Amino acid sequence: MSWEREIAELRRREAFAEALGGPDKVERQHFFGKMTVRERIDAVADKGSFHEIGKTAGVAEYDDHGNLVHLTPSNFLFGVARIDDRPVILSGDDFTVRGGSSDATIPEKRNAAETMAYEMRLPHIRLVDGMGGGGSVKSIEMAGRTYIPELRGWDTIVNHLSVAPSVSLALGSVAGIGAARVATAHYSVIVRDTAQMMIAGPALVEQASLGDHGKEELGHADIHTANGAIDDVVGSEAEAFERARQFLSYLPSNVDELPERVLSGDSPQRRDSELISIVPREPRRVYKMRSIVESVFDQDSFFEIGSRWGRSIITGLARLDGWPVAVFAEDPYVYGGGWTADGCRKLIRLLDTASTFHLPVVHLEDCPGFLIGKESEESGTIRFGSAALAALGQLTAPFACVVIRKAFGVAGAANNKPGARSFRFAWPSGDWGSLPIEGGIEVAYKQDLADSDTPDELLTDIRARLNQLRSPHRAAEFFEIEEIIDPRDTRPLLCEWADLARRSLRPGPSSFGYRP
């Protein structure tokens, strides 16, 4: 018996699915500068690797004889694909069908995608382009009832964070549950000008008497990359896909594996002569920390994350002699590198990612301490700062620090992993203490200066005496810093450390779950 007729019916149904919301809706998607979900999948996955699951699921129309007239496909697609020849789960919203809203899909498809990623311990890339929610209020009349909100399967999304990497790309107008799916990932990206992210859209905001605001005012990329709800912004969907691939290249496929080494040909013995003079002798003069980062790590390997928020701390991923590592460093151009509430929040995310996926951590330190002042107090800096130090203490991966210049106060103590010895170096420009000498002389010697007939001369004398004692070599005498190094030796020493660190890594789950 031949099954050709059934195969023909299958191909017909697949054709309906591939047509998405129809030619008019596809044309409208292109008019607004956006790819369709199928075009996105083809662009991000290795060529020909996408195996779709549930392709013909949707809402069917039949004639009086039971013959299929039309099939409106579910507006959520997912399947198994490969990224750089590594298996991943790839899912995406179809905005051409009911604006990607949740009421136009089959909930089991989304739950199946998340469950498959979790149970098969695979990375998950979400292509998010939907207004979320349960549809318009018309759905109440259609269903004959209201429903009480329930996040079925959300525990799977959260649990997956502690098992395998997840990346969410905001590729259109994203709201409600779609926005939550963007934020609940290890790495998120939004496309400038063609994408927005909102808790609720303009109509609901206006109805709640909270003003007449357009989508751009509520959810522009500049808003959410400045407050940390989304990690990074890009100029095109193609760039978003490239960022997703890059991010995944530093991580293992799941916690039961170790990150892969990717050699670039950059010699681990390379010494950069510019490092010897990059830090000014005058403590108040700034320099470009990113230049040091670019010099020390493998060429073109630094992948910065969250450059537009928490800007006093630079965070990202990089490689040392091919080995992936997590990196953070203070930026002297922003609050002198002082730790802010947002900077600490960003650092916690990096450290948790490192613990989860077995990434050794490098700190290039120039920290004057926590940012002080009224604004800093109001933003809860000490709360988030204490949490960042706790995340460092809980770090399950090897840690190394190079003190480039300042290490002051409680935040400055992040030159060492609390509770354990770690590799620690200092440049000759190292300067540390409970607080900077420049800001403490007048307080510590207030009475002496008040009693002196020549307070200016006394102040100069005190400063000269203390400056002799602040030499990092004095601390090295007492083994309070293990090594003072030639800045040009930073890369060779860190590459040696990275090789040793790799030997100490063990795959498996972290002792605590990832905190979204």
Side-chain angles (χ1 to χ4, degrees), residues 184-299:
T184 310
H186 297 107
Y187 182 61
S188 56
V189 175
I190 187 170
V191 180
R192 180 182 294 281
D193 298 331
T194 59
Q196 308 84 29
M197 187 176 80
M198 301 153 280
I199 296 173
L204 285 179
V205 171
E206 185 176 9
Q207 188 274 333
S209 301
L210 296 174
D212 180 10
H213 303 289
K215 290 188 295 184
E216 292 291 329
E217 286 185 88
L218 294 172
H220 193 275
D222 289 344
I223 296 173
H224 293 300
T225 54
N227 62 27
I230 294 178
D231 291 308
D232 288 319
V233 59
V234 293
S236 67
E237 293 189 20
E239 191 178 351
F241 304 148
E242 177 58 28
R243 295 286 292 185
R245 283 191 290 266
Q246 282 185 279
F247 177 77
L248 290 176
S249 73
Y250 293 89
L251 304 182
S253 291
N254 57 58
V255 298
D256 296 320
E257 301 175 6
L258 294 179
E260 293 184 2
R261 187 182 196 182
V262 179
L263 291 171
S264 65
D266 190 3
S267 171
Q269 299 303 318
R270 175 172 55 80
R271 300 172 82 247
D272 190 343
S273 61
E274 293 183 3
L275 295 182
I276 196 68
S277 58
I278 195 169
V279 177
R281 283 191 168 273
E282 299 82 352
R284 292 186 179 276
R285 285 186 57 196
V286 296
Y287 60 93
K288 294 181 179 179
M289 178 63 82
R290 284 179 180 81
S291 295
I292 297 177
V293 172
E294 295 290 348
S295 171
V296 167
F297 297 95
D298 292 0
Q299 290 178 349

Side-chain angles (χ1 to χ4, degrees), residues 367-399:
C367 179
F370 290 125
L371 183 68
I372 61 175
K374 187 172 183 293
E375 181 181 344
S376 182
E377 302 295 352
E378 290 175 343
S379 64
T381 300
I382 192 61
R383 164 70 69 182
F384 295 108
S386 298
L389 292 172
L392 179 59
Q394 292 175 312
L395 180 69
T396 57
F399 177 77

Side-chain angles (χ1 to χ4, degrees), residues 142-454:
M142 294 169 60
R145 70 186 190 285
T146 59
Y147 72 93
I148 187 166
E150 188 177 352
L151 292 176
R152 293 183 182 177
W154 194 255
D155 57 328
T156 306
I157 294 175
V158 174
N159 290 336
H160 179 263
L161 291 170
S162 298
V163 170
S166 62
V167 177
S168 289
L169 307 181
L171 303 175
S173 295
V174 175
I177 192 67
R181 289 169 60 228
V182 171
T184 310
H186 297 107
Y187 182 61
S188 56
V189 175
I190 187 170
V191 180
R192 180 182 294 281
D193 298 331
T194 59
Q196 308 84 29
M197 187 176 80
M198 301 153 280
I199 296 173
L204 285 179
V205 171
E206 185 176 9
Q207 188 274 333
S209 301
L210 296 174
D212 180 10
H213 303 289
K215 290 188 295 184
E216 292 291 329
E217 286 185 88
L218 294 172
H220 193 275
D222 289 344
I223 296 173
H224 293 300
T225 54
N227 62 27
I230 294 178
D231 291 308
D232 288 319
V233 59
V234 293
S236 67
E237 293 189 20
E239 191 178 351
F241 304 148
E242 177 58 28
R243 295 286 292 185
R245 283 191 290 266
Q246 282 185 279
F247 177 77
L248 290 176
S249 73
Y250 293 89
L251 304 182
S253 291
N254 57 58
V255 298
D256 296 320
E257 301 175 6
L258 294 179
E260 293 184 2
R261 187 182 196 182
V262 179
L263 291 171
S264 65
D266 190 3
S267 171
Q269 299 303 318
R270 175 172 55 80
R271 300 172 82 247
D272 190 343
S273 61
E274 293 183 3
L275 295 182
I276 196 68
S277 58
I278 195 169
V279 177
R281 283 191 168 273
E282 299 82 352
R284 292 186 179 276
R285 285 186 57 196
V286 296
Y287 60 93
K288 294 181 179 179
M289 178 63 82
R290 284 179 180 81
S291 295
I292 297 177
V293 172
E294 295 290 348
S295 171
V296 167
F297 297 95
D298 292 0
Q299 290 178 349
D300 301 321
S301 74
F302 180 55
F303 181 83
E304 186 168 359
I305 298 173
S307 63
R308 296 170 59 85
W309 76 292
R311 294 171 51 246
S312 67
I313 301 180
I314 300 166
T315 60
L317 307 175
R319 291 188 175 88
L320 285 167
D321 196 20
W323 298 118
V325 296
V327 182
F328 72 101
E330 289 77 18
D331 187 350
Y333 274 87
V334 183
Y335 299 124
W339 282 24
T340 64
D342 276 354
C344 292
R345 287 171 52 216
K346 185 169 73 170
L347 178 55
I348 291 168
R349 281 177 54 80
L350 180 80
L351 294 174
D352 281 358
T353 300
S355 286
T356 302
F357 297 113
H358 321 304
L359 291 170
V361 177
V362 179
H363 180 195
L364 302 181
E365 182 168 17
D366 187 354
C367 179
F370 290 125
L371 183 68
I372 61 175
K374 187 172 183 293
E375 181 181 344
S376 182
E377 302 295 352
E378 290 175 343
S379 64
T381 300
I382 192 61
R383 164 70 69 182
F384 295 108
S386 298
L389 292 172
L392 179 59
Q394 292 175 312
L395 180 69
T396 57
F399 177 77
C401 179
V402 181
V403 182
I404 305 297
R405 187 159 65 176
K406 295 184 178 69
F408 287 103
V410 177
N415 60 77
N416 200 15
K417 183 181 179 301
R421 300 302 294 176
S422 55
F423 268 64
R424 185 170 57 171
F425 311 98
W427 285 11
S429 48
D431 187 17
W432 41 70
S434 59
L435 75 166
I437 289 175
E438 289 78 13
I441 292 178
E442 285 82 353
V443 176
Y445 294 90
K446 180 177 181 181
Q447 192 59 51
D448 294 309
L449 294 169
D451 293 340
S452 174
D453 294 332
T454 56

